Amino acid sequence: MKHLTIVIPDGQSNLSTLACIIGAYEIFNAANAYRKEAGKKELFKVELAGVSDQAEFGNGLLALKAQSRISEIRKTHLIVIPSLAHEFQKISKGNKLLADWITKQYKNGAEIASMCTGAFMLASTGLLNGKNCSTHWIVTDTFRKLFPKVNLKPENLITDEQGIYTNGGGYSFLNLAIYLVEKYYSREAAIYCSKVFQIELDRQSQSAFIIFKGQKNHGDEMIKKAQAYIEDHLDEKISIQDLSSRLAAGRRNFDRRFIRATGNTPVEYLQRVKIESAKKSLETTRKTINEVMYEVGYSDVKAFREVFRKITAMSPLEYKHKYNKEAVAQYHGNVYSYSQDQQSNPVKDPFEIATYKK
């Protein structure tokens, strides 16, 4: 039987940490039970382990007892690192012991999976240097600043590279757990667990959940002026060349400084700001896709749709249907109308139903 260690951090945690630990523990034990029902042996011995016998969460609201200390575990095959507190800046003494143990186990053949901001502990080991990594979108600026050698991919729900797995924010740790069940057990076991715990199978992106606030945590005043100009002229078609000239900077130097300050090229930043504004309009207003498009400075429907999909992994219409309550109600009303006379008025694209008879 293989050994699976779910790490209990020594502080620097919150209630999400506890959710990750309990969620992973339940899902892997359910996968073991599925194997047993099929007449097979359990795949993993699942064990909760930390540097001490007990850890507290939520300012002492809840406590969790470790089944063993990491010093007692000589060999493990898979390590799960749960979410940590968002204020994670420097690893604490107890978590440093965990990180050192994780590094030793990885070098001894173990695989590692970090959930949400657990990527901070994993990155502190150096094992993520040069590798892709995902974490919660809300801490991406801090993560990039602390770990510049890691190739951060906040749009990815899951990364899988050289025996190291990471995933995005919040309760998407459930998707990582299902992913690992499929990887280690079987597709059938993953489907079973997804149904038991009602977790969406095969999610690939967390792009639609990202709220882009603009990377302002830097000291480059010229770039801050450029960012302010972009945000104040959303309805215009902005030329990056003109913007750099306006700030008396050469284009090459402007691009270099912009990337260093924000992590995005000027064009990428411009697109993200415009699409974030479009998302808010689609969520909260009754404006048409074209009205929203013009509002953020696009005149080409195809170009707008392509950029929107690149950033959110959804089309503008799909996004509106998902997040605008009025659009959802209208969609269901139109589906009913559509079903009444679809023989005489066929609609080929199901997403056209929402605008049918409009």
Side-chain angles (χ1 to χ4, degrees), residues 10-218:
D10 185 47
Q12 296 184 289
S13 57
N14 53 31
L15 292 178
S16 291
T17 309
L18 187 59
C20 289
I21 293 169
I22 299 303
Y25 187 82
E26 275 204 293
I27 290 171
F28 281 106
N29 275 304
N32 274 339
Y34 179 81
R35 275 180 64 93
K36 284 185 71 174
E37 286 184 8
K40 300 177 182 178
K41 292 182 179 180
E42 294 182 349
L43 183 63
F44 279 115
K45 177 185 178 183
V46 184
E47 198 163 11
L48 307 183
V51 295
S52 57
D53 293 330
Q54 183 171 291
E56 292 187 346
F57 302 89
N59 296 318
L61 179 64
L62 297 168
L64 184 64
K65 184 179 179 181
Q67 293 170 293
S68 63
R69 294 195 177 199
I70 56 165
S71 58
E72 300 167 354
I73 300 174
R74 302 300 177 189
K75 172 71 176 177
T76 193
H77 299 87
L78 177 62
I79 301 168
V80 173
I81 306 171
S83 170
L84 296 171
H86 286 192
E87 295 76 24
F88 190 103
Q89 295 289 333
K90 187 177 181 181
I91 194 165
S92 66
K93 185 178 179 181
N95 285 334
K96 179 66 167 59
L97 293 174
L98 280 172
D100 290 344
W101 179 82
I102 288 166
T103 302
K104 181 180 178 181
Q105 292 294 329
Y106 180 72
K107 291 178 179 177
N108 197 31
E111 296 195 329
I112 308 168
S114 72
M115 295 174 161
C116 191
T117 46
F120 281 84
M121 180 187 287
L122 180 54
S124 70
T125 66
L127 296 175
L128 279 175
N129 289 349
K131 297 184 181 69
N132 292 331
C133 169
S134 186
T135 188
H136 200 298
W137 58 263
I138 210 166
V139 295
T140 52
D141 288 352
T142 303
F143 190 94
R144 284 193 176 102
K145 200 171 184 178
L146 290 174
F147 308 109
K149 294 181 180 179
V150 179
N151 185 21
L152 189 61
K153 297 283 189 179
E155 69 279 6
N156 288 5
L157 187 73
I158 294 170
T159 67
D160 176 346
E161 193 171 353
Q162 296 178 31
I164 294 179
Y165 313 90
T166 68
N167 92 282
Y171 282 70
S172 67
F173 76 84
L174 295 167
N175 300 99
L176 176 61
I178 294 296
Y179 180 87
L180 292 171
V181 166
E182 179 171 358
K183 190 120 186 176
Y184 278 93
Y185 291 79
S186 65
R187 176 70 175 179
E188 291 74 21
I191 292 171
Y192 170 79
C193 290
S194 75
K195 289 181 177 180
V196 169
F197 296 101
Q198 298 187 36
I199 303 166
E200 185 181 347
L201 202 62
D202 296 330
R203 267 189 60 204
Q204 300 295 323
S205 173
Q206 63 173 347
S207 295
F209 300 100
I210 295 174
I211 301 172
F212 185 72
K213 296 183 177 180
Q215 301 99 333
K216 306 288 179 60
N217 190 22
H218 60 81

